[in-house]
Amino acid sequence: MNLLKPPAALAALVLLALTGCGSAPSQQPASPQPAGGSATASDGHGEIPGVAEVAEPQLHLIAVDATGGTSMLDLLSGAESRLGQVGAPVNVTTDGRYVFAANTTGVDVLDTGVWTWDHKDHFHYYRAEPRTIGRIPGEGTATVATGMLSTAGTTGMFFPSSGTGILLDNSALSDGVISEAFRLDVEPHAGIIAPLGDGAVVTAPDGSGVAAQLRAIDAGGSEMASIDCPGASGTITTRVGLVIGCADGAVIATDDGGTPVLEHVPYPAGAAAPATTFGGRKGRPTVAGTGTDSGVWLLNTRQRAWDWLPTSTPVLAAAAVDDGDGHVVVVGDDGTVQVYDGGTKERIAATEPMLTQTLADPALAAEVELAVDGQRAYVSAPAEGVVYEIDYADDARVARTLQPPTRPVHLAETGR
């Protein structure tokens, strides 16, 4: 699902429409890598040369320390390994295979070599050699938006200081190459560019530099649809579609046979503070949104409906597991990991406080991260240097205390 690269004349028209100036896509080769790692939508159930198809998800934890040292911990075997060095990151994002480590001068891309191919009614699991792919330079810490598949479609990154939005070709990434499928420049602001179909959704700022509108563009950069989204912040891709948070709710963007559809889902009357961060199990329709109030927003993207889940403490991180029991996992500012029933809103379990050292340092407390899969939740404790594995379905039991080779200032789970 590669995007077409816009010719110069069309790019010029796009720039006028988006009040910026575009530049031709570029390609940056990575270090020499084994050939044949790519998988596209056309691969279907086919064998991928150089890649092993395995029987179960190859789940790994990726820990990145404050200096950019990275490591992998195999959750199945316990094997540890080192990944390449990245620039000291401000934030880290994953799509379940690649790790995107962003700081004020660019984004480093690592391929962890483990991923899941989602065929909706079943899954395929793959394992290859991990590798460092390269770096995308940019101005300001980029917001990274990923899609459902790591080997098809694109990944968006928006650099706020320059107003540059880039879509990376995921198929090229799987071959170890950084290839820009699309690039545009708009007015600098804290914005988002997120993949949608063969195009993207990109924010547009108001006169004060705040993201206030969303524009759906096609592969050539032409605007296809637009919608107001005041204070646009936070994005996640679900099985249903792309979610972007707004001050008055969220926009769910879907692709209807090549035609983008942007739907506004407003908050209920008298709502709590808006969600600016979203978390959930990959491939599920319900996500958890956190803002500044003691509670969690649950957005069901199938039903286009919000639900408010009050919590017993302010929230550091939250994720909707969206399983049969409706588990919602929350990390409280008291250092506990809490599990709620998303249907009844009852707290059904909680751990003892576990993040004492981390919470004593406000900077580290802000870095606490939560990842969930179909069986476990993983909570980083940067000061303690460990990751807690929580069995959320078994009274929030601490199943393991894991110590990655590098301090988990940033945490990601791949193989999902």
Side-chain angles (χ1 to χ4, degrees):
M1 191 167 67
N2 297 334
L3 300 187
L4 298 176
K5 296 172 173 58
L10 178 56
L13 293 176
V14 172
L15 302 174
L16 290 174
L18 295 176
T19 67
C21 59
S23 58
S26 63
Q27 192 171 69
Q28 174 183 340
S31 303
Q33 304 293 345
S38 63
T40 66
S42 62
D43 289 317
H45 298 69
E47 179 180 344
I48 304 171
V51 174
E53 183 171 0
V54 291
E56 59 185 331
Q58 301 297 291
L59 301 177
H60 284 66
L61 291 184
I62 312 304
V64 186
D65 66 23
T67 66
T70 65
S71 63
M72 293 179 64
L73 175 62
D74 189 324
L75 291 170
L76 301 179
S77 69
E80 300 176 350
S81 58
R82 297 274 181 163
L83 285 170
Q85 182 77 22
V86 300
V90 175
N91 59 55
V92 169
T93 307
T94 186
D95 64 354
R97 174 180 180 175
Y98 306 110
V99 171
F100 304 92
N103 62 21
T104 57
T105 60
V107 180
D108 289 295
V109 185
L110 301 174
D111 181 357
T112 67
V114 289
W115 72 95
T116 294
W117 184 275
D118 184 350
H119 278 278
K120 296 186 178 180
D121 60 341
H122 68 283
F123 302 91
H124 291 259
Y125 311 110
Y126 295 99
R127 184 162 191 157
E129 287 298 316
R131 54 190 173 184
T132 300
I133 295 181
R135 182 173 177 82
I136 302 94
E139 299 177 35
T141 303
T143 296
V144 177
T146 62
M148 283 293 295
L149 296 174
S150 60
T151 49
T154 57
T155 297
M157 49 187 64
F158 190 92
F159 294 94
S161 297
S162 63
T164 299
I166 296 172
L167 293 180
L168 294 184
D169 184 334
N170 288 348
S171 180
L173 285 182
S174 66
D175 285 328
V177 175
I178 292 175
S179 177
E180 294 181 9
F182 184 80
R183 172 185 284 251
L184 61 84
D185 289 290
V186 299
E187 180 183 341
H189 67 289
I192 295 168
I193 184 169
L196 180 68
D198 288 335
V201 174
V202 62
T203 53
D206 60 17
S208 64
V210 176
Q213 188 182 55
L214 302 178
R215 292 176 173 176
I217 56 177
D218 65 13
S222 297
E223 183 176 308
M224 303 288 287
S226 65
I227 192 171
D228 289 339
C229 180
S233 180
T235 181
I236 191 170
T237 298
T238 74
R239 183 177 292 282
V240 173
L242 167 69
V243 175
I244 296 178
C246 312
D248 57 358
V251 168
I252 299 175
T254 55
D255 181 66
D256 184 11
T259 300
V261 178
L262 306 178
E263 300 176 74
H264 180 242
V265 183
Y267 287 120
T276 56
T277 303
F278 296 94
R281 180 158 63 107
K282 185 177 180 181
R284 301 300 301 163
T286 302
V287 296
T290 56
T292 57
D293 288 341
S294 294
V296 176
W297 282 110
L298 299 178
L299 175 61
N300 186 316
T301 56
R302 282 203 178 109
Q303 298 177 3
R304 273 54 170 186
W306 291 101
D307 205 2
W308 176 249
L309 190 159
T311 56
S312 57
T313 63
V315 177
L316 296 179
V321 179
D322 203 19
D323 56 356
D325 293 320
H327 289 116
V328 180
V329 182
V330 169
V331 182
D333 74 347
D334 61 352
T336 62
V337 179
Q338 307 161 20
V339 181
Y340 291 82
D341 182 319
T344 66
K345 310 300 186 299
E346 293 182 1
R347 194 179 85 169
I348 56 179
T351 67
E352 296 296 320
M354 300 188 301
L355 307 174
T356 306
Q357 296 178 49
T358 293
L359 296 180
D361 183 338
L364 287 179
E367 300 291 352
V368 172
E369 297 184 36
L370 168 66
V372 296
D373 57 37
Q375 303 294 327
R376 297 288 191 267
Y378 297 92
V379 179
S380 65
E384 289 82 354
V386 301
V387 177
Y388 296 107
E389 181 184 72
I390 308 296
D391 187 343
Y392 51 78
D394 186 16
D395 293 327
R397 176 175 59 88
V398 180
R400 289 187 288 180
T401 300
L402 304 166
Q403 187 169 9
T406 50
R407 186 176 295 274
V409 174
H410 302 278
L411 178 70
E413 184 184 12
T414 63
R416 298 177 295 141

